[in-house]
Amino acid sequence: MGRPKKQEARREALIDAAGRAITARGLASLRIKDIAAEAGVSAGSVLYYYPELDELVLEVHRGAVERYLTGRLARTDGVRDPVTRLREAVETGLPDRGDDATHALLYELHSRADRSAGHAALMASLFARETALYATILEVGAATGDFTLAAPAVDLARTIVALEDGYGLHIVSRNKELTPSAARALVLGYARLATGCARL
């Protein structure tokens, strides 16, 4: 009974270590020994649990998507006022700084989507779930009379997510022309136009 739990804990530790290694080195130069060093184990131990590096990287991607979404939902789910909820969603959708590890890891992992069905599915799933988050907020705001939507909620939601993705990439790439606060102001500016809500 104790062995499966111990193995699961070791797998989780390796996934965390691989995430740190990817953030530090990037996917292109990632090696088993980098993950082993991060985890404080031998390269053989990594290979025992993950004989294929691609399998481990896919697990890192899956975990990063779930942690990111869990964090966003934790900040927005309990907020009843749709205007405040939309502002909170925008706050959680952009990196706070250029060295934001979570966003940097997701962008790095998304780069595998064009060569891997598994990574493509995770990227598409994240986009769909973030779109659903915004669409729900917009629909509730329209129902309460706080928002007058300029287009179908799902279309507006997709545009907000796309803006976050684009601005976020510039932030983690350390583009000095776009600060996190400026990016948030731009996304909220679009949201004001899309909803007709001056409170945003």
Side-chain angles (χ1 to χ4, degrees):
M1 197 69 177
R3 189 172 176 80
K5 285 188 177 180
K6 192 172 183 182
Q7 288 184 341
E8 186 59 33
R10 286 183 178 161
R11 284 179 180 274
E12 287 297 322
L14 290 174
I15 291 167
D16 290 344
R20 292 192 303 274
I22 292 168
T23 301
R25 300 184 61 88
L27 279 170
S29 58
L30 181 68
R31 299 167 301 182
I32 292 290
K33 71 178 189 176
D34 302 320
I35 298 166
E38 280 289 337
V41 298
S42 69
S45 293
V46 177
L47 291 169
Y48 174 79
Y49 288 99
Y50 291 99
E52 298 294 329
L53 181 59
D54 286 346
E55 180 190 349
L56 176 53
V57 172
L58 190 62
E59 287 301 316
V60 173
H61 198 171
R62 186 173 290 112
V65 164
E66 292 305 322
R67 282 191 306 277
Y68 175 65
L69 283 169
T70 298
R72 293 199 80 173
L73 294 173
R75 285 273 299 271
T76 58
D77 273 359
V79 181
R80 297 180 65 86
D81 173 47
V83 178
T84 305
R85 192 175 180 199
L86 183 53
R87 292 184 72 91
E88 283 294 314
V90 171
E91 279 291 316
T92 63
L94 289 162
D96 290 325
R97 57 195 186 281
D99 63 348
D100 183 296
T102 299
H103 282 87
L105 180 60
L106 283 170
Y107 284 118
E108 187 74 23
L109 292 164
H110 287 350
S111 71
R112 284 267 172 111
D114 65 335
R115 298 180 300 280
S116 162
H119 289 284
L122 286 168
M123 184 177 176
S125 170
L126 177 57
F127 184 78
R129 291 162 73 184
E130 289 181 292
T131 296
L133 168 67
Y134 277 112
T136 299
I137 295 169
L138 293 168
E139 287 164 357
V140 170
T144 59
D146 291 292
F147 300 154
T148 302
L149 302 184
V154 70
D155 293 344
L156 300 176
R158 285 179 179 140
T159 302
I160 292 171
V161 176
L163 286 171
E164 288 177 345
D165 288 348
Y167 290 144
L169 181 58
H170 282 276
I171 292 167
V172 299
S173 300
R174 304 183 200 287
N175 181 345
K176 294 179 182 176
E177 298 296 314
L178 188 69
T179 64
S181 59
R184 283 185 177 82
L186 288 166
V187 175
L188 286 172
Y190 172 77
R192 274 192 297 278
L193 292 174
T195 61
C197 181
R199 289 171 55 204
L200 284 168

